[in-house]
Amino acid sequence: MVTKEELKRVMEEVDELNLPDGAHWALVHERLGLEYGEVFEIIAGDPVFFGAIEDGGR
């Protein structure tokens, strides 16, 4: 099982490569050994942690 922290670390590493969006997400999935789409499910589970939305003062 991939942790949120591990996913965030890999996302940051791949961000540094400045790839186009499709290649970026494909590489994140590949590095984590996940099927395409699974990363998005993890992000959707805690969008505040990943900076996908603001926490609204929580």
Side-chain angles (χ1 to χ4, degrees), residues 8-52:
K8 192 169 188 175
R9 179 185 54 77
V10 170
M11 287 172 56
E12 290 169 353
E13 290 172 1
V14 173
D15 279 347
E16 293 178 12
L17 301 175
N18 294 317
L19 299 171
D21 282 347
H24 167 92
W25 290 113
L27 185 56
V28 170
H29 283 82
E30 181 180 309
R31 286 191 177 183
L32 293 168
L34 299 173
E35 293 292 320
Y36 196 85
E38 291 180 305
V39 163
F40 307 125
E41 292 173 11
I42 297 169
I43 293 170
D46 192 350
V48 172
F49 178 82
F50 290 100

